């Protein structure tokens, strides 16, 4: 297939496809799917070998967010049955992080719901980072607190943060359809603040919200142009009690095509399979590892993932290996660019997020060794009668610890 030969050749050279080529990836057929995965896999192995970076999430503050992001179970007015609690203490968060690192996680993502942090919140996170670094000085820490005010990114960097996470989520043209309490430009501004302070930019998207192929290509090219070092690809988890509860638009094949498109546009950038991996890729998750080089391990912010050991077994069985703490994630030339940009105070990067306005978005973390929370299951909406429509009865969303007082991953 000429398209895939062209994309593979470009990716091996670290070159970017045209918009038309990216759109063509999303338009490939199921008969061509394995060819698409194989082509993206060649590019992935060129820059990242067979390593898989593991990331672990600690949800510092859950629920009660004043933002109205329509995809989020923690949004203003959400009726989703999720855990709601205020800030974890530093020792609680450090214990949770320790469990994740013991399971193989190289990066710990500290997430808190809300529009953005107060200066007091920055102090809290600073104390938490100190407790985590005391136990493991080498662990990477990514912070996701929502929209940043002036000088807050500098304070996080000085306190030991390595990265800041804030997603663009969707294209600029359709952003107003999923949130009205802040703008696409607000998100870009926050990541520019983080990048200007010397923090690595982690920024991605959410697929499955009813967007078009053009929207997906727009946001992925925007992320590339803004210089995101890590691109989390979330697949919408349609929580009951949110406006997007009935948006079951994804199939495993569609998810793999989206991942492949993201890889071709970001050949030498960390591509992470984030929220919704288990819900939408299901038994085809191992194929995703041939495209992406990073995953979240175990549970997500307000929903459960598969067991952490199952993730580790999947990586091993698929012929991959967990990336070690001493190994560089990015290729040397990308790392040099990131370091130069950080040293020079460059502000051209994308908005990232382990969450939404705060930590609302679908992200994951490993709860290895943590006490089990009682969970309840929310069945998806009734399946359509038409044979050619998606069957939402095939999937259930498991809410994280609903009906208990146990903090996730604590």
């Amino acid at each position: 297939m000429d398209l895939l030969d062209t994309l593979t050749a470009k990716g091996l050279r670290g070159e970017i496809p045209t918009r038309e080529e990216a759109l063509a990836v999303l338009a490939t057929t199921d008969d061509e799917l394995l060819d698409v995965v194989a082509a993206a896999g060649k590019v992935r192995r060129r820059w990242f070998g067979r390593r898989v970076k593991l990331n672990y999430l600690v949800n510092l503050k859950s629920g009660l967010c004043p933002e109205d992001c329509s995809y989020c179970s923690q949004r203003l007015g959400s009726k989703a049955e999720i855990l709601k609690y205020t800030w974890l203490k530093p020792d609680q968060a450090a214990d949770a992080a320790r469990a994740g690192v013991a399971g193989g996680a190289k990066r710990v993502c500290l997430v808190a719901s809300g529009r953005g942090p107060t200066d007091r919140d920055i102090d809290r996170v600073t104390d938490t980072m100190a407790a985590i670094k005391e136990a493991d000085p080498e662990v990477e820490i990514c912070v996701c607190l929502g929209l940043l005010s002036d000088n807050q990114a500098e304070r996080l960097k000085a306190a030991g943060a390595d990265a800041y996470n804030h997603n663009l989520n969707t294209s600029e043209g359709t952003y107003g359809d999923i949130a009205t309490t802040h703008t696409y430009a607000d998100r870009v501004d926050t990541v520019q603040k983080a990048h200007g302070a010397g923090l690595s930019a982690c920024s991605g998207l959410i697929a499955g919200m009813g967007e078009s192929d053009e929207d997906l290509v727009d946001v992925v090219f925007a992320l590339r142009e803004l210089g995101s070092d890590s691109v989390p690809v979330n697949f919408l988890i349609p929580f009951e009690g949110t406006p997007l509860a009935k948006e079951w638009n994804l199939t495993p094949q569609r998810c793999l095509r989206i991942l492949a498109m993201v890889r071709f546009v970001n050949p030498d950038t960390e591509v992470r399979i984030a929220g919704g991996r288990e819900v939408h890729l299901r038994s085809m998750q191992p194929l995703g590892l041939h495209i992406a080089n990073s995953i979240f391990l175990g549970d997500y912010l307000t929903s459960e993932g598969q067991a952490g050991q199952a993730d580790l077994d999947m990586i091993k069985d698929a012929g991959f290996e967990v990336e070690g703490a001493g190994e560089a994630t990015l290729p040397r030339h990308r790392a040099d660019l990131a370091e130069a940009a950080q040293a020079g105070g460059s502000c051209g990067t994308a908005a990232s997020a382990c969450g939404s306005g705060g930590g609302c978005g679908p992200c994951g973390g490993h709860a290895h060794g943590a006490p089990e929370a009682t969970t309840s299951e929310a069945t998806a909406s009734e399946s359509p009668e038409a044979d050619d429509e998606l069957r939402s009865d095939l999937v259930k969303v498991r809410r994280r610890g609903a009906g208990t007082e146990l903090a996730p991953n604590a």
Side-chain angles (χ1 to χ4, degrees):
M1 185 177 184
D2 291 340
L3 170 68
L4 296 181
D5 290 341
T6 298
L7 290 172
T8 300
K10 286 185 174 183
L12 295 178
R13 296 192 299 264
E15 297 176 5
I16 311 304
T18 65
R19 283 183 51 86
E20 291 71 24
E21 288 167 342
L23 284 167
V25 173
L26 297 178
T28 54
T29 67
D30 287 350
D31 287 342
E32 300 165 319
L33 182 64
L34 290 181
D35 293 330
V36 172
V37 172
K42 289 180 181 178
V43 177
R44 179 246 201 269
R45 291 192 300 277
R46 164 67 177 88
W47 301 106
F48 300 97
R50 304 192 72 82
R51 306 189 313 276
V52 178
K53 181 176 181 177
L54 300 183
N55 306 269
Y56 165 67
L57 181 140
V58 178
N59 197 1
L60 298 177
K61 175 174 171 279
S62 181
L64 308 175
C65 182
E67 303 300 287
D68 69 353
C69 308
S70 56
Y71 53 82
C72 183
S73 61
Q74 303 183 80
R75 73 187 298 272
L76 178 69
S78 171
K79 293 179 170 45
E81 297 179 14
I82 61 167
L83 282 172
K84 300 179 180 68
Y85 57 89
T86 190
W87 292 89
L88 296 183
K89 293 182 174 58
D91 59 338
Q92 293 175 307
D95 285 345
R98 191 175 301 114
V101 172
K106 180 176 180 177
R107 171 173 286 192
V108 172
C109 298
L110 301 177
V111 186
S113 63
R115 178 177 175 83
T118 65
D119 287 342
R120 173 68 189 281
D121 295 336
I122 297 293
D123 290 337
R124 289 187 176 101
V125 176
T126 294
D127 292 342
T128 296
M129 287 193 290
I132 292 172
K133 290 280 191 178
E134 182 179 3
D136 190 343
E138 300 302 317
V139 68
E140 295 179 10
I141 295 181
C142 183
V143 182
C144 177
L145 307 175
L147 302 175
L148 292 174
S149 301
D150 290 344
N151 300 317
Q152 290 184 328
E154 285 79 3
R155 291 181 61 192
L156 291 170
K157 173 67 175 178
D162 298 287
Y164 198 80
N165 189 324
H166 198 64
N167 283 333
L168 288 184
N169 289 328
T170 192
S171 68
E172 183 175 12
T174 59
Y175 195 83
D177 295 337
I178 65 167
T180 65
T181 49
H182 62 272
T183 66
Y184 180 94
D186 290 332
R187 289 184 172 272
V188 172
D189 177 69
T190 282
V191 178
Q192 289 176 338
K193 284 185 170 70
H195 202 246
L199 293 166
S200 176
C202 171
S203 183
L205 64 143
I206 305 175
M209 297 188 291
E211 70 283 336
S212 67
D213 285 359
E214 288 76 10
D215 290 323
L216 287 171
V217 170
D218 282 349
V219 68
V220 174
F221 270 82
L223 291 167
R224 179 71 188 189
E225 291 166 6
L226 288 168
S228 183
D229 298 320
S230 174
V231 179
V233 180
N234 296 284
F235 301 110
L236 177 71
I237 302 177
F239 266 92
E240 290 183 353
T242 67
L244 298 185
K246 297 185 183 300
E247 292 288 338
W248 293 91
N249 302 312
L250 297 171
T251 64
Q253 295 83 359
R254 171 73 168 169
C255 293
L256 289 171
R257 281 190 283 268
I258 291 169
L259 286 171
M261 185 271 288
V262 174
R263 170 54 72 201
F264 289 129
V265 179
N266 297 275
D268 53 359
T269 298
E270 177 187 347
V271 174
R272 185 182 312 161
I273 314 178
R277 164 167 60 92
E278 302 85 351
V279 173
H280 295 293
L281 280 171
R282 300 192 287 279
S283 62
M284 296 178 76
Q285 291 179 64
L287 286 180
L289 295 179
H290 287 271
I291 304 172
N293 62 296
S294 178
I295 65 170
F296 281 107
L297 192 65
D299 293 329
Y300 298 87
L301 280 176
T302 59
S303 65
E304 291 184 337
Q306 64 190 22
Q309 188 59 52
D311 286 332
L312 296 174
D313 291 342
M314 176 182 70
I315 292 169
K316 181 178 179 181
D317 291 347
F320 293 90
E321 59 186 20
V322 173
E323 184 174 289
E327 295 181 277
T329 299
L330 293 177
R332 184 66 258 171
H333 72 281
R334 282 285 302 177
D336 288 343
L337 285 174
E339 290 169 7
Q342 291 164 14
S346 169
C347 58
T349 104
S352 101
C354 277
S356 77
C360 313
C363 260
H366 178 48
H368 179 76
E372 291 189 2
T374 302
T375 61
S376 61
E377 294 187 343
T379 306
S381 56
E382 297 281 327
S383 60
E385 293 181 2
D387 290 338
D388 58 348
E389 292 185 16
L390 295 176
R391 289 185 56 201
S392 59
D393 60 323
L394 294 177
V395 182
K396 294 182 179 180
V397 175
R398 297 186 297 165
R399 290 193 295 268
R400 179 77 176 101
T404 79
E405 298 301 320
L406 181 66
N409 298 338

